[in-house]
Amino acid sequence: MLITCKDITKVYVTGETETHALRDVDCTIRAGEFVAIMGPSGSGKSTFMQILGLLDRPTSGTYVLDGTDTATFDDDALSRLRNRRFGFIFQSFNLLPRTTVADNVALPLLYNRDERLSAAQSHERVMAALAAVSMEHRAAHTTNQLSGGEQQRTAIARALINNPDVLFADEPTGNLDSKTGLQVMRILQRLHEDGKTIVLVTHEATTARHAERMLSMVDGRIVDDAPVADRINARDEDSLRK
Ligand SMILES: Nc1ncnc2c1ncn2[C@@H]1O[C@H](COP(=O)(O)OP(=O)(O)O)[C@@H](O)[C@H]1O
Ligand SMILES: [Mg+2]
């Protein structure tokens, strides 16, 4: 099993206020799955994704990744895992402004201490990642010159640069119109077909239906965990709109 979570809780403490963002969450995710975490705003989706992505620690409970309890990892091991095994995609793209597409995509290579790539090898990797999202022709543009969809595709290329096993996407279509959002879902579906494990966070049931399996969250709990019966194929949808 790739991911096994048991009794995960997360309590945020701000001043006198305690927010129980996650309550006794149990979950397993196999390598190669495409899972959507769906639920209304405030139900704990992003909190859960941040814990799964090792961006944050649970207040209690265990998270076993590939057979190892993640509580045993120090900060160095956590940042290495995030850099090498995970890719992250966010609603707001999180790109550096006034910086080229190629330099944005290359950024995680700087923190990759396991592989020492020459400038030529780095360039090759960047162009391959951009090709995966059809963005080679924009490599030299700065990110503020791009449309929203192009910015998100750049962010996906950046997430792919170290060839991670798992992609975490938190509301990746949230800032995009429906047609552009569908292009992003199509890219995620293709990456899944190519073997990536994908964890998608969304508050939209339609977006979640692009995944294979849907975890539904309400008030910090997983209330349903089921295969997506009426799965949407983004390629079919896209051709219907043309
Ligand atoms: N850093 C934080 N500090 C305090 N409360 C937070 C923090 N992040 C999230 N919360 C609270 O935790 C709950 C779950 O938030 P979140 O995981 O962002 O939900 P979702 O992604 O489903 O909208 C909400 O009540 C939110 O206000
Ligand atoms: Mg959220």
Side-chain angles (χ1 to χ4, degrees), residues 12 14 19 21 40-48:
Y12 293 109
T14 12
T19 306
S41 176
S43 57
K45 307 181 297 295
S46 296
T47 298
F48 189 35

Side-chain angles (χ1 to χ4, degrees), residues 74-235:
D74 61 13
D75 286 348
D76 206 47
L78 290 174
S79 52
R80 181 152 170 256
L81 275 167
R82 283 193 302 265
N83 178 261
R84 297 304 315 277
R85 300 212 44 202
F86 297 162
F88 296 93
I89 303 158
F90 297 99
Q91 176 171 359
S92 49
F93 320 131
N94 295 7
L95 300 170
L96 297 177
R98 297 177 301 279
T99 304
T100 65
V101 164
D103 285 348
N104 268 278
V105 172
L107 208 59
L109 290 175
L110 298 180
Y111 300 97
N112 179 343
R113 284 165 293 164
D114 302 323
E115 289 177 292
R116 287 277 165 225
L117 301 183
S118 68
Q121 286 170 322
S122 294
H123 178 73
E124 205 171 295
R125 284 271 285 273
V126 167
M127 294 314 286
L130 286 174
V133 295
S134 309
M135 282 288 290
E136 308 103 300
H137 60 302
R138 292 279 186 264
H141 288 236
T142 59
T143 51
N144 42 292
Q145 296 171 326
L146 303 176
S147 69
E150 289 173 330
Q151 289 184 60
Q152 195 58 299
R153 278 148 61 200
T154 302
I156 295 172
R158 181 183 56 189
L160 291 173
I161 192 77
N162 281 326
N163 192 26
D165 305 317
V166 190
L167 285 179
F168 292 99
D170 192 347
E171 309 274 5
T173 63
N175 281 339
L176 305 176
D177 64 66
S178 62
K179 185 167 187 289
T180 311
L182 204 55
Q183 286 170 359
V184 165
M185 293 316 298
R186 188 170 164 179
I187 290 169
L188 293 183
Q189 284 188 327
R190 210 182 57 229
L191 291 169
H192 170 240
E193 283 159 22
D194 291 346
K196 298 280 184 222
T197 306
I198 299 187
V199 178
L200 164 74
V201 163
T202 179
H203 66 279
E204 297 171 334
T206 313
T207 304
R209 280 173 51 210
H210 291 84
E212 291 177 322
R213 172 182 167 201
M214 203 187 302
L215 302 176
S216 302
M217 293 193 69
V218 175
D219 290 340
R221 296 182 201 277
I222 295 176
V223 296
D224 194 36
D225 177 355
V228 175
D230 46 358
R231 190 163 183 222
I232 299 173
N233 186 324
R235 182 173 27 205

Side-chain angles (χ1 to χ4, degrees), residues 4-94:
T4 307
C5 289
K6 191 101 192 79
D7 296 329
I8 297 276
T9 69
K10 180 70 182 182
V11 184
Y12 293 109
V13 182
T14 12
E16 310 251 292
T17 316
E18 284 192 353
T19 306
H20 290 256
L22 295 176
R23 302 166 190 267
D24 303 321
V25 170
D26 291 346
C27 172
T28 56
I29 298 176
R30 280 188 306 276
E33 275 196 282
F34 186 171
V35 184
I37 302 172
M38 218 275 289
S41 176
S43 57
K45 307 181 297 295
S46 296
T47 298
F48 189 35
M49 194 201 89
Q50 276 165 15
I51 288 170
L52 292 177
L54 299 172
L55 295 165
D56 201 358
R57 299 253 199 197
T59 304
S60 65
T62 51
Y63 171 14
V64 175
L65 177 69
D66 264 343
T68 308
D69 187 343
T70 59
T72 63
F73 295 131
D74 61 13
D75 286 348
D76 206 47
L78 290 174
S79 52
R80 181 152 170 256
L81 275 167
R82 283 193 302 265
N83 178 261
R84 297 304 315 277
R85 300 212 44 202
F86 297 162
F88 296 93
I89 303 158
F90 297 99
Q91 176 171 359
S92 49
F93 320 131
N94 295 7

